[in-house]
Amino acid sequence: MKRNDERLRWLLDNFNYIDSVTMVDNTGRITCKARFNPRFSETENAIDNEWCVGKHLLEAFPTLNHKNSSLLQALSSGDLIYEEEQVTINHSGKKSVTNNITFPIISRGKIIGALEISRDVTHIEGRELPRGVARPGPAAANTSSARWTLDDIVTQDPSMLELKSTIEKIADSRSSVLVYGETGTGKELVVSAIHNAGSRKSKPFIAVNCAALPESILEGLLFGSQRGAFTGAENKKGLFAEANGGTIYLDEINSMPFLLQAKLLRVLQEKAVTPLGASKPIPVDVRIIASVNRPIQELINSGQMREDILYRLNTISIHIPPLRERLSDIPILSEAFLAKYNREMGKQVAGISSEVLEVLMERPWKGNVRELEHVIESAVNITEDGADIRMDKLPIYLFEAEEPSEITKEKYDQLSPSLNESMEAYERRLILDAMRASNWKIVEAARRLKIPRTSLQYKLEKHGIKRR
């Protein structure tokens, strides 16, 4: 990162060398793509620009993620960002090294998108560069996007501490790893930590979202192709070849088509890949780490994944427990996210109130750690410097009743709820809400409920309602 004057000086110095402009909306979807890179033909540039518009950025560039994409960083932070030597591989397998300057687009105080202008420096070598343009170093091809280490796994939960211990034990192994965790539990964090804890940490780390690309693109992207394999095919290395010596992370591998699962099984068994149109396999030394967001047996029973590949990937198995099963991590994670967004937003929010922590501890957290982070980020945005995050700063949806799920007649008969039980549960909910809204002041809560204070005290004891 550089100061704003240095970034703007770079822009002025390199204006005549810019060969790509990309714009995304606030969700990361590409709204405008103009690439006129002389490395590619006019037809290639036009086809790429047309294909990308309307796609999410991570679909167009599968090796990017929320941490290594300057566009997504600008959307998140609202900062002007300058980044040298960003390595990307696009949807068709073409690799680029670019210098980027990225601007958030802000309207009425809200980030509505981001604009990035880029200079391709992939093949600039052996000649003088314009002032301010960085030459890609020898390690540019191996630049790792594994941004996290074991130290980034913030926890005090015994099961998570055991998970960190497991990572240390298996980091140097060549065996494949299967990571299971619900959405938002931090699978990529764990995978990055495995890569960076082992001897491959200086080698490539390539992450691929298997759910983001159709089979026709994913196969060539993973295994590469040779000229003539299909109409328009060129000689290009696949991601397995790009990751040689390092790690490839196959996210949501349960979304991979069955045909590709069979080809991946051969890669696991033979330690070699066969590009499309090639007759001979190419040896590769790649550690494969895959992740799924559903239980393994459920994937097998549903027929979504082949048993043989699941068992082959599952040489080492890591299960990330959901946040609701490690409640002791909520305070420490909340404080870590508070520090993070104070730093990123240049704010000085003092802390998190005890009543807010209590609400956070009682949430089911269907979105897990990712949802908790978004809640803290939202609250930091609207909390004044020097103040604590209080109840009125939390997102409204936390206090909205969830939609009741459909209950079949059979399920209803099994539950057999009585009217008295339902009334008791409803009364307890009303009292608990009133106590929280009154900051646990009995007189104020009784006034809200329109009942005598002595009646409320009796009901508190009856329902076992106590402030934690």
Side-chain angles (χ1 to χ4, degrees):
M1 298 294 177
K2 300 187 175 183
R3 295 193 305 272
N4 284 354
D5 57 343
E6 292 175 324
R7 294 165 177 163
L8 294 175
R9 188 182 304 119
W10 177 92
L11 177 60
L12 292 173
D13 288 340
N14 294 277
F15 188 80
N16 291 330
Y17 301 95
I18 292 168
D19 46 36
S20 182
V21 177
T22 306
M23 185 184 296
V24 298
D25 63 17
N26 62 351
T27 68
R29 196 163 298 280
I30 298 172
T31 57
C32 175
K33 181 79 162 61
R35 188 185 75 182
F36 32 91
N37 193 326
R39 284 205 298 123
F40 306 112
S41 68
E42 289 186 14
T43 301
E44 284 181 309
N45 282 324
I47 290 175
D48 182 67
N49 294 336
E50 183 178 355
W51 187 91
C52 286
V53 173
K55 303 289 193 304
H56 193 278
L57 184 70
L58 302 186
E59 182 178 356
F61 299 93
T63 57
L64 291 179
N65 56 50
H66 286 82
K67 297 296 181 181
N68 65 11
S69 164
S70 44
L71 272 167
L72 297 182
Q73 288 174 22
L75 284 179
S76 174
S77 66
D79 293 334
L80 186 150
I81 293 174
Y82 171 68
E83 184 168 345
E84 292 184 352
E85 300 178 22
Q86 182 175 62
V87 181
T88 58
I89 297 175
N90 72 4
H91 58 94
S92 60
K94 286 189 169 60
K95 177 182 172 183
S96 297
V97 183
T98 57
N99 291 344
N100 308 325
I101 188 164
T102 311
F103 304 84
I105 303 172
I106 301 174
S107 175
R108 297 181 180 179
K110 292 185 177 181
I111 301 173
I112 61 171
L115 173 70
E116 181 168 277
I117 54 180
S118 304
R119 162 65 168 159
D120 190 301
V121 295
T122 308
H123 292 286
I124 297 179
E125 188 174 358
R127 58 186 179 87
E128 185 178 354
L129 301 179
R131 182 166 63 90
V133 175
R135 187 188 311 281
N142 290 334
T143 299
S144 171
S145 59
R147 299 296 182 92
W148 299 287
T149 67
L150 275 171
D151 292 337
D152 294 309
I153 301 179
V154 178
T155 184
Q156 58 188 11
D157 177 78
S159 62
M160 288 297 292
L161 293 173
E162 179 63 28
L163 183 149
K164 292 180 71 171
S165 175
T166 300
I167 289 175
E168 291 179 320
K169 294 173 184 175
I170 59 97
D172 279 327
S173 172
R174 297 182 61 184
S175 299
S176 56
V177 182
L178 185 63
V179 179
Y180 161 60
E182 295 178 7
T183 300
T185 49
K187 293 187 286 296
E188 188 167 351
L189 171 63
V190 168
V191 173
S192 293
I194 295 172
H195 175 81
N196 283 327
S199 57
R200 295 174 182 258
K201 63 183 178 183
S202 61
K203 301 298 183 180
F205 174 89
I206 295 180
V208 186
N209 186 341
C210 298
L213 296 171
E215 180 178 355
S216 57
I217 293 176
L218 185 59
E219 182 174 3
L221 187 68
L222 289 175
F223 306 124
S225 64
Q226 290 193 351
R227 187 182 301 276
F230 51 86
T231 304
E234 298 179 351
N235 293 328
K236 66 178 183 183
K237 293 171 69 174
L239 295 184
F240 274 95
E242 292 283 353
N244 195 34
T247 304
I248 190 164
Y249 169 41
L250 302 176
D251 186 20
E252 293 192 38
I253 194 171
N254 48 297
S255 300
M256 180 180 284
F258 251 68
L259 176 61
L260 288 190
Q261 290 181 29
K263 293 189 175 184
L264 179 60
L265 183 61
R266 288 200 296 273
V267 175
L268 286 162
Q269 293 171 338
E270 301 170 8
K271 307 296 183 185
V273 295
T274 304
L276 293 174
S279 57
K280 294 182 179 180
I282 301 171
V284 289
D285 173 22
V286 177
R287 186 179 196 181
I288 298 175
I289 305 179
S291 69
V292 294
N293 54 17
R294 292 168 57 193
I296 294 173
Q297 195 57 49
E298 182 181 322
L299 292 173
I300 294 174
N301 294 341
S302 65
Q304 192 172 354
M305 285 204 71
R306 296 169 55 114
E307 288 189 53
D308 49 7
I309 194 170
L310 264 177
Y311 294 142
R312 188 66 181 80
L313 285 169
N314 205 23
T315 305
I316 298 173
S317 180
I318 291 180
H319 173 229
I320 309 174
L323 188 56
R324 63 182 175 274
E325 293 180 7
R326 46 185 173 112
L327 296 179
S328 63
D329 275 349
I330 290 177
I332 188 173
L333 284 169
S334 299
E335 292 294 339
F337 293 140
L338 172 61
K340 172 184 175 180
Y341 289 108
N342 265 339
R343 183 172 60 253
E344 289 187 3
M345 299 178 192
K347 301 196 68 171
Q348 296 178 344
V349 176
I352 303 171
S353 68
S354 58
E355 51 266 35
V356 166
L357 280 176
E358 182 177 356
V359 169
L360 299 182
M361 293 285 284
E362 293 185 351
R363 287 284 301 170
W365 296 114
K366 293 181 179 179
N368 290 292
V369 179
R370 185 183 300 158
E371 183 187 0
L372 175 63
E373 180 175 1
H374 290 166
V375 167
I376 299 299
E377 179 185 4
S378 172
V380 171
N381 269 288
I382 58 176
T383 300
E384 299 77 13
D385 286 351
D388 286 343
I389 295 175
R390 307 199 71 83
M391 300 283 282
D392 60 340
K393 305 302 182 185
L394 296 179
I396 297 296
Y397 84 89
L398 292 181
F399 305 100
E400 294 176 346
E402 295 185 5
E403 288 293 322
S405 57
E406 272 192 39
I407 301 179
T408 63
K409 181 181 183 301
E410 292 77 10
K411 188 174 181 181
Y412 186 87
D413 290 340
Q414 290 173 1
L415 294 173
S416 300
S418 69
L419 179 60
N420 286 339
E421 288 171 339
S422 299
M423 295 288 287
E424 291 284 322
Y426 183 61
E427 182 181 71
R428 188 181 191 281
R429 180 78 261 171
L430 288 177
I431 293 172
L432 192 56
D433 288 344
M435 292 297 292
R436 287 173 177 161
S438 305
N439 199 21
W440 292 87
K441 296 177 181 176
I442 293 180
V443 173
E444 173 63 18
R447 185 188 64 78
R448 288 174 180 268
L449 293 168
K450 299 178 182 178
I451 61 174
R453 177 178 57 83
T454 53
S455 297
L456 177 56
Q457 287 176 319
Y458 165 75
K459 291 180 182 294
L460 288 171
E461 293 179 7
K462 170 186 172 184
H463 293 294
I465 298 175
K466 295 179 181 180
R467 185 174 185 174
R468 290 184 178 178

